[in-house]
Each structure stands twice: as C-alpha cells, then as structure tokens.
Amino acid sequence: MTRRKSKETRKEEILEAAMKCFSKKGYHETTIDDIIKESGLSKGAIYWYFKGKRDIFIFLIEQHLQKDNILWEKLSKEYELGPDFLIIAGLSYLKMHFEDEKLSPFYAEFIAESYRDKQIQRKLHNVHKGWINKVKRAFDLAIKKEKMKSFDTQSLSIALVALIEGLIEMNTIFKDKLNYEKIWQTFAQALLQGIQKES
C-alpha cells in the first residue's frame, strides 16, 4: 500500500516546481498550469496550500529570507564578529546563490517585481536594510575591539552588500560561470589589508 504524502512534502513539491518555473520563465510568464505540470499535482492540490501564483511567489521570498537569517545565525555562532567573519559570511552567501542554478534567476525576479509591487518592494527594502545593519554591527564591534581602523561603517557596509548583490546579478548575466570564490577572496584580501589595524 502506497503511503500518502505528508502536507509538508506536498507543499515543498509545489514550491520546488514553482521555483523552477519562475527561474526558467520569469514571474509574469509563469502560469498556475505551468506549476501544476511541473509538480505533477492537481490544481486542487495547489489551491489547497496557496491562493494563487503571487501567494506562492511571496512564500518563496519569505523562505529565501529565512534561509539568509539561518545562515547568518549559524555563522555568528561559529565565528567572532569582525572583518574575517564578514568575509566568511559573504563567501557562504555567494556560494548559496552560485551553487543553486535556480536561486539567482529567482532573486532577479524578486528584484524586478519590487518595481511593480509595493509589498515586495518593502520586503526587498527590509532585506537590504537588515543585511546592512548586520554588517555594520560586525564592523563596529571590530573597531571597538581595535581590530580595524575607524571608518564610516554605514558606507562601508552598504558597499559590501552592494558588491555581493552585484556579483549575484552578474551570475545571471554572464554565460560563463564567474569564479566567485577567486573574485571574493581577492576582494577580501584587499579589504582586510586596507582596514585591519597593524598589530
């Protein structure tokens, strides 16, 4: 006798199918029928869990943001906050985007929809604000502990987040896969040499 799939399993199947569709076709070109076909589930099953395409898209955004926070919390428990920590966190975040072929195109759709949808725009604003504040706290703590020179940490944090975002965006533009590890390590070395206090 075949066991029935759990609610969570079905929901994940829908989300995985939707992520594939949004990444391949974009948000506007994707239809509920596309998600049904990709998931192999019925229309009734889709609507049991979600009100429609937009509801699925918003849920995927929330899920992505939750993964960001989990990653940050995990790393902040393993490493002391400071420049070294930010280099490790940046590399981990880039790896998450570059290793999952669906994530960068989906994130590009998230940004594109923020121009059209006020709710999504607020979410994107809060994402960037949250990351900038987290990075700033790490820099401020490093200055307090005299591990780095005194800088305008707000500006430095915005620039660091913008670099990561830019690399993720370039990942969707370049046909040849960027060597993100080399790019990030080169930047990290230059950054650390510039901001670290001499012992």
Side-chain angles (χ1 to χ4, degrees), residues 151-166:
F151 283 94
D152 172 4
T153 54
Q154 178 73 9
S155 296
L156 193 60
S157 300
I158 291 169
L160 189 66
V161 171
L163 174 67
I164 293 171
E165 292 286 317

Side-chain angles (χ1 to χ4, degrees), residues 49-62:
Y49 296 98
F50 299 101
K51 293 175 184 176
K53 180 178 77 168
R54 186 176 182 277
D55 194 33
I56 298 170
F57 189 70
I58 295 286
F59 192 93
L60 282 167
I61 291 169
E62 295 285 2

